[in-house]
Amino acid sequence: MKFAVIGGTGLIGSRVVKDLNAAGHQAVPHSHSTGVDVISGQGLDEAVAGADVVVNLTNSPTFDEASPAFFRTSMDNLLAAARKGGVGHFVILSIVGAEQVPELDYYRAKVLQEELLAAGPIPYSIVRATQFMEFVDDIMSWTADGDTVRLPATPIQPIAAKDVAAGVAEVAAGAPLNGVRDIGGPEIFTLDELGRITLSHKGDSRTVVTDPTAGMFAVVKGDVLTDKDAHLAATRYADWLS
């Protein structure tokens, strides 16, 4: 099959392209660097022409109140191009539990993206992933101050980017779900515990202080960002760190 992977040069997209091509498909990456702009619509018709499947892995450049407008415009443009091109399957990547954290602008934006796809004219699949292992350092940097890192005890189920990509590629190569598949890592940690494990592995002497008000994950209630019933990936956090 032929796949147009929009956002195909990023962390997940580049791996999805690699996995699909390794499986014998023709996956073509598209992004700003290849002349495709999902906001202006430039290059979209050409990018999806002849594709059996569109995989949209583009992301908002900000995580604030501007993110819903990005996803609305980009999805409107992509769905129109895909419909015009006769695409038979449209896939996006979203976040486990996003609909249960309306306090975060970005999560509300991802829920909007899901709703736009589900209401659209094309058979679809939504892959929801838990939090990426690759983002733990960034999360810690948001609330680092001198010798301490403040983190809430929010339950997190970290998954490696390579496993996210494999999950997206598998769904994209199959029949449209017209629904959602959750994927997640094999272990659940509290975020403060994950910070301590990460710093210890790196020989970083900073101390993690449990602070229920620290960072964006402080607004998360309970374990909504985890899913024990998800399709579980194999990579454990300690193995990924190593």
Side-chain angles (χ1 to χ4, degrees):
M1 292 191 295
K2 183 177 179 182
F3 296 79
V5 183
I6 315 298
T9 59
L11 174 68
I12 303 300
S14 59
R15 289 170 167 84
V16 169
V17 169
K18 181 179 178 181
D19 288 351
L20 288 171
N21 285 330
H25 302 292
Q26 181 187 357
V28 181
H30 301 282
S31 66
H32 262 296
S33 62
T34 67
V36 172
D37 187 325
V38 294
I39 298 302
S40 71
Q42 177 184 344
L44 282 184
D45 286 349
E46 295 81 1
V48 305
D52 300 296
V53 183
V54 165
V55 183
N56 177 22
L57 298 169
T58 58
N59 207 0
S60 171
T62 67
F63 297 100
D64 57 17
E65 65 275 4
S67 53
F70 170 86
F71 284 113
R72 178 173 292 282
T73 300
S74 61
M75 286 297 291
D76 285 349
N77 288 339
L78 278 164
L79 286 168
R83 185 177 187 180
K84 181 178 178 181
V87 171
H89 187 189
F90 196 119
V91 182
I92 64 169
L93 175 62
S94 192
I95 305 167
V96 166
E99 75 284 0
Q100 299 192 64
V101 195
E103 297 87 350
L104 294 178
D105 293 324
Y106 179 71
Y107 280 37
R108 284 191 290 104
K110 291 299 289 185
V111 172
L112 172 63
Q113 184 188 30
E114 293 184 15
E115 292 170 348
L116 291 168
L117 180 60
I122 301 171
Y124 70 93
S125 299
I126 298 167
V127 180
R128 289 181 183 160
T130 54
Q131 306 299 311
F132 297 179
M133 294 178 184
E134 282 77 3
F135 292 166
V136 173
D137 281 340
D138 287 340
I139 292 169
M140 290 195 296
S141 73
W142 300 338
T143 55
D145 182 15
D147 293 331
T148 63
V149 179
R150 294 177 296 108
L151 294 171
T154 306
I156 297 292
Q157 189 174 346
I159 183 171
K162 67 176 183 179
D163 292 334
V164 176
V168 171
E170 179 182 356
V171 168
L177 301 174
N178 290 316
V180 177
R181 176 178 291 182
D182 283 1
I183 58 175
E187 305 162 294
I188 295 175
F189 305 88
T190 59
L191 187 53
D192 54 345
E193 177 188 11
L194 201 59
R196 292 184 185 102
I197 292 169
T198 305
L199 294 181
S200 176
H201 174 81
K202 296 183 176 185
D204 190 320
S205 62
R206 288 180 295 171
T207 299
V208 172
V209 175
T210 304
D211 182 347
T213 68
M216 64 177 281
F217 290 104
V219 302
V220 177
K221 298 175 179 66
D223 59 358
V224 298
L225 298 186
T226 67
D227 183 357
K228 295 177 181 177
D229 296 323
H231 290 73
L232 299 182
T235 308
R236 294 182 175 274
Y237 191 63
D239 296 331
W240 178 83
L241 281 174
S242 299

